[in-house]
Amino acid sequence: MILRVKDVSVARGGVAVLEGLSFEINPGQALIVKGPNGVGKTTLLRTVAGLQPPFKGQVEAPEEAVAYAAHSDGLKTMLSVEENLRFWADVFGQSDIEKAIQAFDLVELRSRLAGSLSAGQKRRLGLARLLVTGRPIWVLDEPTVSLDTASVQLFADAVRAHLAEGGSALLATHIDLGLDVTMLDVGPFRAKQGDAPISGYDEAFL
Amino acid sequence: MKALLLRDLKLAFRAGGGFGLGIAFFLIVVILVPFSVGPESGLLTKIAPGVLWLGALLACLLSLDRILALDWEDGTLDLVATSPLPLEGVVSVKALAHWITTGVPLVVAAPVFGVLLNLPPQGFVWLVASLALGTPALSVIGTFGAALTVGIKRGGLLLSLLILPLYVPTLIFGAELARRGAEGQDVTTPLLMLAGITFGVIALLPFASALVLRMNLR
């Protein structure tokens, strides 16, 4: 379950934003991607998750091994915490949601509607979803947004346990999780022709 | 797949899920038509199949932008696209859920509404048959439209404009089937055409929907 990124360029709206990126993540390892806003971290993560093809280069990941979590958690406000998790567990062919509920301290919230949760509680539920995917490679975009210190700690523990079990993770975050991981600053990989004044072209027509 | 279908149905029936939307709209159209065309029963009988079909089609159109837009807004689509479910299956299930929550109630309610429009007795069977056969096509074509316009904020107008021409064949043959049934004429041709359209779009359109959805998610 090795994730390899070989000389990859990623594009947003048809314009390359990052180029010449190469890295490899082995089981038990995590890589944290850093860089200024708008540099293309999200685009890179979406590319690795397979949501968009790389502009150039290759992303080599085993089939159906990547669990992706983005800015929005994919929660249904009219379903309870438990129903939301149960749905994702069914989609990924898993049955155990208790571990995820315990790990992110959702026991007391389990029958509450997701719509009535606070932003931080929603985020915890969104992260608990990762545990019910049963997938070895986590690709997480700003996972700690709106989490308090205690919840960040819960998340760091979950990542640590995941790595200890032979999983791996690719994270874009600005917070120090206290993990022993490799950092990658993508700033220097900014594409030469990047930041072309093309942003917003699709809105202009609509 | 089953989980996705059950979740969509559950959401539709919960508060704010929009389950009654289509049927309520259908009811409004059918109740208002006799007031607007006058009480002449011969005229109502003549236009009943067409009005019922038009009402059903517009009721269906009303809920199309809910098929994928809500899942897009809360990020579910991105996550589903990275899950083991094939997108072709996802859009098929979405269309099925839309049909169960919108099409089936219309089919069930149509005979009752037919009474309001003075539909002749022999027309009821063919009205129900034409709607049962035609509404799945409306849901499948509608899901294709929803996939095309997903990610466009307030894309409801664009969706309607894109979808209306694609709905025309189903409307023509569906209403023709109901009309011929009501007038006691031979129904073979519109029946076969309607069945052909429905089974054709069910077989082909999910692939097109999945393709455009994949492009829209990039």
Side-chain angles (χ1 to χ4, degrees):
Chain A
M1 293 297 175
I2 301 171
L3 176 71
R4 268 196 207 92
V5 167
K6 283 186 190 162
D7 197 25
V8 156
S9 301
V10 298
R12 188 171 51 213
V15 177
V17 285
L18 290 172
E19 58 185 14
L21 267 170
S22 295
F23 55 82
E24 193 177 295
I25 307 178
N26 293 305
Q29 289 184 343
L31 178 71
I32 291 185
V33 176
K34 278 184 184 292
N37 290 146
V39 78
K41 297 187 293 293
T42 296
T43 314
L44 172 65
L45 264 52
R46 287 180 70 85
T47 307
V48 172
L51 282 166
Q52 61 181 70
F55 198 53
K56 279 187 203 132
Q58 274 179 313
V59 175
E60 288 176 17
E63 280 283 301
E64 305 207 331
V66 172
Y68 174 67
H71 299 284
S72 28
D73 295 309
L75 303 175
K76 289 295 167 194
T77 52
M78 291 308 292
L79 296 181
S80 72
V81 168
E82 202 175 341
E83 284 170 324
N84 269 299
L85 276 182
R86 174 70 60 199
F87 166 69
W88 286 110
D90 287 344
V91 165
F92 284 89
Q94 305 284 313
S95 54
D96 182 26
I97 62 166
E98 291 310 315
K99 215 176 107 191
I101 289 182
Q102 302 280 345
F104 283 93
D105 193 19
L106 296 165
V107 179
E108 283 164 27
L109 303 170
R110 62 189 301 155
S111 51
R112 284 258 298 273
L113 289 183
S116 68
L117 300 180
S118 77
Q121 290 168 331
K122 275 185 194 151
R123 190 81 253 215
R124 257 154 54 200
L125 176 53
L127 292 171
R129 192 188 61 85
L130 289 168
L131 292 177
V132 304
T133 62
R135 291 200 163 174
I137 302 173
W138 289 0
V139 175
L140 313 180
D141 197 355
E142 302 282 2
T144 54
V145 169
S146 63
L147 291 183
D148 58 17
T149 333
S151 303
V152 168
Q153 208 47 54
L154 281 178
F155 169 66
D157 290 343
V159 173
R160 213 171 279 126
H162 179 64
L163 298 182
E165 285 169 9
S168 53
L170 172 65
L171 305 98
T173 181
H174 294 281
I175 288 185
D176 180 18
L177 293 168
L179 298 168
D180 179 26
V181 295
T182 328
M183 298 281 184
L184 172 68
D185 184 1
V186 292
F189 296 95
R190 198 191 284 259
K192 306 285 180 297
Q193 75 276 32
D195 288 328
I198 194 164
S199 63
Y201 77 99
D202 47 352
E203 280 93 4
F205 287 110
L206 304 170
Chain B
M1 286 303 183
K2 204 178 126 206
L4 185 63
L5 178 64
L6 291 177
R7 187 203 65 154
D8 269 18
L9 294 180
K10 203 186 272 179
L11 284 171
F13 287 107
R14 290 207 176 161
F19 170 65
L21 193 67
I23 194 82
F25 181 79
F26 194 25
L27 179 69
I28 291 170
V29 169
V30 170
I31 287 180
L32 291 184
V33 163
F35 290 118
S36 64
V37 302
E40 194 191 324
S41 64
L43 182 61
L44 268 184
T45 304
K46 208 168 163 54
I47 63 170
V51 168
L52 285 165
W53 250 93
L54 186 61
L57 184 141
L58 292 176
C60 210
L61 198 63
L62 203 58
S63 51
L64 288 184
D65 65 337
R66 303 182 71 95
I67 297 180
L68 293 169
L70 298 177
D71 277 352
W72 161 270
E73 278 163 20
D74 63 22
T76 306
L77 270 185
D78 274 350
L79 303 178
V80 165
T82 57
S83 82
L85 304 182
L87 273 184
E88 289 79 6
V90 171
V91 291
S92 305
V93 166
K94 287 274 166 195
L96 178 62
H98 179 261
W99 182 67
I100 292 175
T101 53
T102 309
V104 171
L106 294 180
V107 174
V108 173
V112 184
F113 294 176
V115 176
L116 294 176
L117 292 180
N118 205 18
L119 190 73
Q122 73 270 25
F124 283 90
V125 174
W126 290 110
L127 174 70
V128 172
S130 66
L131 283 173
L133 195 56
T135 45
L138 299 183
S139 291
V140 173
I141 297 171
T143 307
F144 174 63
L148 273 175
T149 56
V150 79
I152 300 174
K153 288 196 180 70
R154 288 172 290 281
L157 175 65
L158 185 59
L159 171 61
S160 309
L161 290 175
L162 282 172
I163 282 306
L164 269 181
L166 301 178
Y167 270 4
V168 168
T170 305
L171 175 66
I172 289 175
F173 292 110
E176 179 70 2
L177 174 58
R179 187 188 64 80
R180 288 197 185 189
E183 293 176 2
Q185 297 173 12
D186 178 35
V187 294
T188 317
T189 311
L191 180 65
L192 290 179
M193 290 301 287
L194 185 63
I197 293 168
T198 298
F199 292 120
V201 297
I202 289 176
L204 297 175
L205 268 188
F207 296 99
S209 306
L211 188 71
V212 292
L213 192 54
R214 210 166 271 132
M215 285 162 74
N216 268 335
L217 285 178
R218 273 179 198 172

